[in-house]
Amino acid sequence: MQYHFSEFTEGLKSSAVREILKLTQGKSIISFAGGLPAEEHFPIEAMREAFNRVFDQGKGSLQYGLTEGYTPLREQLCQRMAKKGIKADLPNILLTTGSQQAIDLLVKVYLTRGDVVLVENPTYLSVIQVFQAYGIKAVPVDGDDDGMNMDDLRSKIETHKPKMVYVTPTFSNPGGRVWSAERRKAIVEICQKANLLILEDDPYGELQYNDEEAYPPIMSFDTHPEGSCVVYTSTFSKIAAPALRTGWVIGDSRVIREMTKAKQAADLHSSTLDQQGLYQLLKHFDLDAHISVIRREYHKRMLLLDSLLHQYKVPGMSWNAPKGGMFLWVELPEGVDAEELLKLAVKEGVAFVPGSAFYAGEPKRNTLRMNFTHSNEAEMRLGMERFSRSLEAYLQTV
Amino acid sequence: MQYHFSEFTEGLKSSAVREILKLTQGKSIISFAGGLPAEEHFPIEAMREAFNRVFDQGKGSLQYGLTEGYTPLREQLCQRMAKKGIKADLPNILLTTGSQQAIDLLVKVYLTRGDVVLVENPTYLSVIQVFQAYGIKAVPVDGDDDGMNMDDLRSKIETHKPKMVYVTPTFSNPGGRVWSAERRKAIVEICQKANLLILEDDPYGELQYNDEEAYPPIMSFDTHPEGSCVVYTSTFSKIAAPALRTGWVIGDSRVIREMTKAKQAADLHSSTLDQQGLYQLLKHFDLDAHISVIRREYHKRMLLLDSLLHQYKVPGMSWNAPKGGMFLWVELPEGVDAEELLKLAVKEGVAFVPGSAFYAGEPKRNTLRMNFTHSNEAEMRLGMERFSRSLEAYLQTV
């Protein structure tokens, strides 16, 4: 039998992060690569209690559900989002298998092969992968520490006639960047005028280390999801637990309706057992207190990685110290190729993600992303020692 | 904001069954429409125990998992499939969000807009919906009580140059039909020669009412998934519980690899909490004994619906008495339009699915599908009384 795959597979590349994850499984490699939350902080006993409450509800809890997702959880999420300035009603919200599925569904219903999407530079690598598979052209827009450059955005809209802009404005992956309020407001105004859809991906927004500043979602700068140029997605993966793969997406009811139909064709619905479990968790467990604990812990770990980077710094190396999220973005000396460095690093027993994977256009090959939420202090110290050895070895060869 | 949806949405219709399900929610309508299993038989206490065992494993059970799914469950499923004559190894199996996702992923990686797929006549309505959305042309092949007509299959292969054949050979939805061993063998031979992929959808195979005959999967007529012209999919939805949305797909490792990459882009992975729960369920609960109970119960309900149909039979009406599965297929007198009949039926307080939804080509409008697994005896009696009243009212108007 000879298999003849579709044109979809031609653009389909496996994610670099997940391939590295596979390589490191079962080995004694310290990984700064994945985007894994700290397991020690998963609220497992609260989760057990939540699921037992679901089972107490009776056998109906195991039946098929609506494609839209478990209604009481959707209602709860509307209330939660209201605190962030997003006034969604039930027809504006769909539950998904993680926010990754929200991205996939929106691409399906809104973009056609050959369409252009504007993205940050660098941007979330899995979204580049989705666009490639669907034959969508991702065009990077310049940016700085305050977010996307609005002049370049206007100019790229003019030149490329895009159908969508994809952004992660709060503690971005990989950059750890957070957009200023001015830029948030500006992108809504620009896209409203240009009749251009914004996909706001917000998996890390809750992981802000301190409350000194507020970073309201871009969607909150529009009056209501109904008629909004913004579609917003987030997930329980980073604030509760990833294994349940429960995310949500908020948008105009017509957009949500098309996404719901696409979801029905894709998988009928996501696990409603998990959705019911999360509903019970939100009802009987102080998730916000839990999130505060994670925030403090991640802040501590970020500061540790930052200090270790200072300790092992080589000339020409720089990085950011993010205000939230799970990643630190490192620029290595000019001329260093982080993909080559990774090969040496894995031999030393440490992994990270080369920055090149996060560029839709020409990559800066001397960049890399480090996750600091999954390793404990001892692992981070040992991992950075190994990283430093591999970097020195690399620098001696060039 | 004006939204401009993709070409995907143009072919995207909401499923008739699910639209009816929505209409009937919260109302006192007796539904023969959905494909819902009997809730009374969900093994909820065994499921509670299984999930508690997962939580006992510690916090790691809440972490991200592999796209392929929870490895121990994949191993268990390989062993289970071996009993059905399918010798799959780990690289041949992928866990999905129900078998619906297996269908969606295979369509993505194997078919390109404009391709042709051959289907049974009638066939599973959701698959028609998926094909339409992706711009795939579904061409019906004639059949009889023994399955697809092999002469018509050969002729349609010749004429339409299809890339795939989609079949549900064991207790099909909607027909309740089961293919003979000869036809199973024949389709594999024909498709091997024609280099044509078969998607064997087998959600109901375990729901055989008695063990007099064996219906081995079509895939078992091929030597091994590696190099096979068959891709096989099934689900826990009908034998354990649908809320967990856990299905699996077996095929050549290259096909599974492409599907895994497509799944990674679509949702990273399905709920591994649910997959771990099902692993513990299989390990500590006698699922086969449980399936025997369901089989007996469904047989009893099928016989009841059959006897009620005899009681309310009108001239020109006929139906099958299936050997397994969840559906009974009714042909009404010539000239009756089941969609029109449904409107009267819903007023009377009973629902079913008009047969027209299950035809990829010209529909037989005087057909309908009845589910007998979700209603209890009293509901079935009352429902059929209402059905009969609406049928009589309909017949008086024409």
Side-chain angles (χ1 to χ4, degrees), chain A residues 2-4 6 15 18 40 48 56 59 64-65 108-109 163 195 228 238 245 264 267 271 274, chain B residues 2-4 6 15 40 48 56 59 64-65 108-109 163 195 228 238 245 264 267 271 274:
Chain A
Q2 271 209 315
Y3 304 102
H4 299 286
S6 69
S15 132
R18 294 188 75 84
E40 312 87 279
R48 182 200 296 270
D56 289 345
K59 295 179 173 178
Y64 279 108
K108 261 186 181 170
V109 305
K163 276 204 74 180
N195 211 48
S228 174
K238 275 75 182 184
R245 307 293 304 118
Q264 190 178 301
D267 62 13
S271 168
D274 294 355
Chain B
Q2 271 211 316
Y3 303 103
H4 299 287
S6 70
S15 131
E40 312 86 280
R48 182 202 295 269
D56 289 345
K59 295 179 174 177
Y64 279 108
K108 260 185 181 170
V109 305
K163 277 203 75 182
N195 210 48
S228 175
K238 275 75 182 185
R245 306 293 304 119
Q264 189 177 301
D267 61 14
S271 168
D274 294 354

Side-chain angles (χ1 to χ4, degrees), chain A residues 111-112 114-118 136-139 160-164:
Chain A
L111 304 176
T112 300
D115 280 347
V116 172
V117 172
L118 302 181
I136 307 300
K137 195 177 172 211
V139 173
H160 295 280
K161 316 284 179 217
K163 276 204 74 180
M164 197 166 92

